[in-house]
Amino acid sequence: MDTQQVSAPSRASSAGVVHINIRLTDGYTVISNRLSQHRGLSLLAIGLGTYIQSLPDGWRIGVKALAARFPESEVRIAAALRELEQHGFLRRTRERVGGGRLATRTESYNHPEAAVRGRGRGRGRGRGRPAAPVVPAAATAVPVAAAGPVGGPAPEPVREPEPEPARVPEPESARVPESVRVAVLECEPVRAPLPEPEPEPEPEPVPVPVPVPAPALVPAPAPGPRLVPTPTAPRKPRVPLPAPQRPTEGLYAAAAGLLAGLHRTAPLFLLSEEDVRGLVPGVAAWLERGARPDAVQAAITDDPPVPLRHPAKLLRHRLATLIPPPPPAAVPVVPLQNCDDCDRAFRSSVPGRCRGCRDARACADAPCPTGS
């Protein structure tokens, strides 16, 4: 039980990339890590350089051709080409071709440092003296007598002249002595003709996308009946702003002063002049019903919502819905009167006699049923 199982497979690393490689036999390109892991190139430039190195010779890699192939814009592709050219992976030169036209020659390098060293060695050979001319084999064949003095170093082996096509014999006046001809050949180097520039390869025709006919439009199914929810209960009408029953100038002045000073104790309720003018009747109605100013202020500004977007609308709603009831009607008080006969006090709206005196006078004027 305590023996370790050595045949169990090792657990793969939980972090980092794991390569699952399959040996390729066709359809691949060898790309140097100098390009794929370059620290100074952007990811777009690395991808574009990889694509260019995978193309065959003669393939067009202009900005417009690449923009038609990839979703990136021409500006981003041109910037990536400039990055590759700056780091030596790409070289673009302008050459003159036949017909007075200019063509762009593009060269792609998978090892820019080696290519730069190769160009440097080519320039170093020609520094200080002209490059050795290419002389045909017929021109280097000279007589042995002209090779050097007797007793000197052994002359170099003379190449056998290649058979030349038959020439038309020149006239005697135009012939040059053989010694003069040899001297001229030894002194003046024969310059090889410059190679003609290679014509730019014909651009391959860009395949024109064949328009695909649009599929026939299938008529949409008829929409079924919409299940509209039952209408909600009608909203209650807006409660009107109360107004005082007997408005006075003093009452309106007290209400305006209360509204204008709300921001001192409740900074959120900073009202404009128009808002104060519209809310004055509601505050005046509260004051008319006997509410004290501090009670009115506390009732309409206490516990505001957060955030408070419309303070005037909140005050209007609270003034209309929280107004206290009117005070109860006062019971009329009947004044006291002094009786004219007995001088006793009694309550009556008009002066006269009290009830007892009125009853006694009524008995005196009429026959009393008791006989008294």
Side-chain angles (χ1 to χ4, degrees), residues 211-230:
V212 180
L217 297 178
V218 180
R226 295 184 59 187
L227 301 178
V228 181
T230 56

Side-chain angles (χ1 to χ4, degrees), residues 53-204:
Q53 291 191 11
S54 67
L55 295 176
D57 292 343
W59 199 271
R60 297 187 63 184
I61 58 169
V63 176
K64 293 188 178 296
L66 293 173
R69 169 65 176 78
F70 296 101
E72 282 75 13
S73 63
E74 295 184 6
V75 176
R76 297 190 61 191
I77 290 177
L81 290 176
R82 286 194 297 269
E83 287 186 49
L84 294 173
E85 192 172 2
Q86 180 182 0
H87 289 84
F89 290 96
L90 205 67
R91 184 184 181 192
R92 294 181 290 183
T93 56
R94 303 282 286 179
E95 294 183 355
R96 188 178 299 278
V97 297
R101 295 179 303 167
L102 291 177
T104 301
R105 179 183 177 86
T106 306
E107 298 175 352
S108 176
Y109 299 93
N110 63 349
H111 198 313
E113 294 81 1
V116 170
R117 288 196 297 268
R119 288 198 299 266
R121 286 196 299 269
R123 288 193 297 267
R125 291 194 190 96
R127 185 175 301 172
R129 60 183 180 86
V134 179
V135 182
T140 56
V142 295
V144 178
V150 179
E156 297 179 358
V158 180
R159 298 178 182 179
E160 293 295 334
E162 297 179 359
E164 296 181 358
R167 298 181 180 179
V168 179
E170 300 179 358
E172 294 292 337
S173 59
R175 290 184 179 180
V176 181
E178 187 67 23
S179 60
V180 177
R181 185 179 301 176
V182 173
V184 170
L185 290 175
E186 292 179 353
C187 296
E188 296 183 0
V190 179
R191 298 182 179 179
L194 296 177
E196 296 183 359
E198 298 179 1
E200 185 180 5
E202 292 294 333
E204 296 184 2

